[in-house]
Amino acid sequence: MRATGIGSLPGDDFSGALAAMGESFPSLVPVPELPARGPVAGIIGRGVATLTELPVELDAADWRVADAPDRAARSARATLRRDIDDIEESLAGEAATVKVGLCGPLTLAVSLHLRRGEAVLDDLSARRDVADSLAAGQAELAAELRRRMPAVTWVWQIDEPAAPAVLAGRIPTQSGLHRYEPLDVHVAGGHTGALVAGLRAAGISEIAWHCCSAGIPWRMLADAGVDDAMIDVATLRTADLDRAAEWLEARKGLGLGLAPTGVRDAVSSADEMLDRLLGLVRTLGVDPGLATAQGILTPACGLAGWSQAAASRQCSQVARAAELADEQLSG
C-alpha cells in the first residue's frame, strides 16, 4: 500500500520540506505547499501562478481578475518557478514518483474574484475563461516538468476543498446575505474533465482529485476520468460507502485520510490508523488485497497549522501504517 502526504506543511523552507517528504514517503513523494511563505505560496496563490493569459492581482486578502498582473501575481509565479528549480536540483535525475498538488477549477472559481467583487463562480463567461486558462497552464507546467525531469513519474493532484459547497449552493455571495446558485454537476464535471484531458495530453498518466469535505461527487469524478479519489474517511456518509467500494472494485485508487488533522499536533499512531483501516475495509466489504493494491494512506488533510516536529511525526506514522497494512491485509 502506498503512502503520501496531502501537500500543505508548516514552515517556509521548501528544499528542506521536500527532502523531508522524500524521506517519509519515498514511493510517492508529495511536493510541499508552504502557505507560511504568504498568499503567493498557498493553494490559491499557486493556482493563479499557473493561469495563462489571464492577469490577476491581490487586493487586500482577495485575488482578483485584473487588466495586468500586479507584484503579488508576479511573485506567485516566481515562487512557483523557484520551487520547480529546487525540485529539479533535489531529484538530480532520480527515477522517483512525485505528486504535485494544485488548485482545481471549482475552488479557484470561488477564491478568485471579479472586479466588481463577486466570485468568478457568479459569472458563466468568467468561470469558463478561468477553467480554460487553468487547464492550459497546468498542462504547460506538466509538460515542462516531464521535459526537465524525464526520469520522474509525475502524479497530479487536483485540490478541490470547495467542490462540495459549490455543487450544493453553499458558497456565500460577497455581501454574505445570499448564496450562489448550485453549479450544475455536469458543468462542474466539464471543467474538471478539461483539466484532466489537458494533463493527459501532457503525458500525466495518474491524476488524483482531493477533497477533505463531505459530499464527494463520485459520478463526476468517474466521468471526468480521474484515477484516484483522495478523501478524509471521517467525512464518509452512508451513501458514500457503496460508491467508495465501487471505486475500488473499478481498480481506481482511493486515498484514505486516516490521520485526523483538525486538532493541532494530535498525532495518530500507526496502530490507530491500521485499526481504522481494518474497520473501513470490513464496512466496505471489499477484498482486503484490493484495498492494499488500490489504497493510498494519507493524513486527512494538510498539516500547515501543525508544528514542524508533530507534522514530521505524523507523516512517519502514516508511512508506517501503510507498511503494517501490507503485512495485515496482503496475506
Side-chain angles (χ1 to χ4, degrees):
M1 179 175 276
R2 291 185 294 173
T4 192
I6 291 302
S8 68
L9 293 170
D12 57 10
D13 176 7
F14 180 82
S15 295
L18 180 62
M21 290 300 95
E23 246 181 72
S24 293
F25 304 116
S27 64
L28 184 52
V29 183
V31 172
E33 177 190 296
L34 304 177
R37 294 186 292 178
V40 301
I43 179 175
I44 305 305
R46 265 194 172 174
V48 300
T50 65
L51 293 172
T52 60
E53 299 180 4
L54 186 66
V56 298
E57 63 185 8
L58 184 62
D59 179 12
D62 292 331
W63 288 99
R64 297 179 185 270
V65 176
D67 293 323
D70 68 351
R71 180 178 179 181
R74 292 191 295 272
S75 179
R77 188 171 289 274
T79 299
L80 180 60
R81 306 310 306 174
R82 285 196 300 273
D83 289 351
I84 293 170
D85 291 342
D86 286 345
I87 295 169
E88 184 176 23
E89 182 178 346
S90 174
L91 295 177
E94 292 183 23
T97 300
V98 180
K99 178 170 66 67
V100 178
L102 287 167
C103 185
L106 307 187
T107 297
L108 193 58
V110 170
S111 303
L112 184 60
H113 294 261
L114 303 165
R115 292 179 181 86
R116 58 185 170 85
E118 295 295 345
V120 162
L121 179 64
D122 191 45
D123 186 287
L124 171 64
S125 177
R127 190 181 66 241
R128 185 186 300 118
D129 288 346
V130 168
D132 290 347
S133 176
L134 189 74
Q138 291 197 17
E140 287 179 8
L141 176 60
E144 179 185 354
L145 290 173
R146 293 188 70 243
R147 183 175 63 253
R148 291 175 61 169
M149 290 162 270
V152 171
T153 299
W154 298 97
V155 176
W156 215 265
Q157 176 179 303
I158 302 170
D159 287 321
E160 286 284 24
V166 169
L167 295 170
R170 297 197 304 267
I171 302 296
T173 59
Q174 182 77 357
S175 68
L177 300 176
H178 304 285
R179 298 287 183 270
Y180 294 115
E181 290 292 320
L183 186 62
D184 181 84
V185 69
H186 299 292
V187 174
H191 295 326
T192 303
L195 176 53
V196 170
L199 293 169
R200 296 281 189 219
I204 302 299
S205 59
E206 183 176 355
I207 300 172
W209 188 94
H210 169 251
C211 179
C212 49
S213 299
I216 303 301
W218 298 97
R219 175 51 56 193
M220 186 193 87
L221 301 185
D223 290 346
V226 169
D227 301 297
D228 308 323
M230 306 189 74
I231 60 176
D232 175 357
V233 297
T235 68
L236 289 176
R237 302 163 174 168
T238 301
D240 290 309
L241 297 176
D242 286 344
R243 304 290 83 76
E246 290 168 1
W247 188 269
L248 282 171
E249 288 166 351
R251 297 300 191 272
K252 289 181 175 287
L254 187 61
L256 300 168
L258 288 167
T261 56
V263 178
R264 187 178 191 270
D265 293 356
V267 176
S268 293
S269 71
D271 287 336
E272 289 171 328
M273 284 181 277
L274 180 63
D275 287 343
R276 292 172 193 146
L277 175 63
L278 295 175
L280 180 63
V281 170
R282 285 193 296 269
T283 300
L284 294 178
V286 297
D287 182 343
L290 185 63
T292 56
Q294 303 300 126
I296 308 167
L297 259 57
T298 73
C301 209
L303 296 166
W306 287 36
S307 68
Q308 287 181 298
S312 177
R313 289 199 302 276
Q314 186 60 88
C315 290
S316 296
Q317 288 300 302
V318 169
R320 177 57 182 154
E323 294 173 357
L324 293 175
D326 282 337
E327 296 170 5
Q328 291 279 331
L329 296 176
S330 295

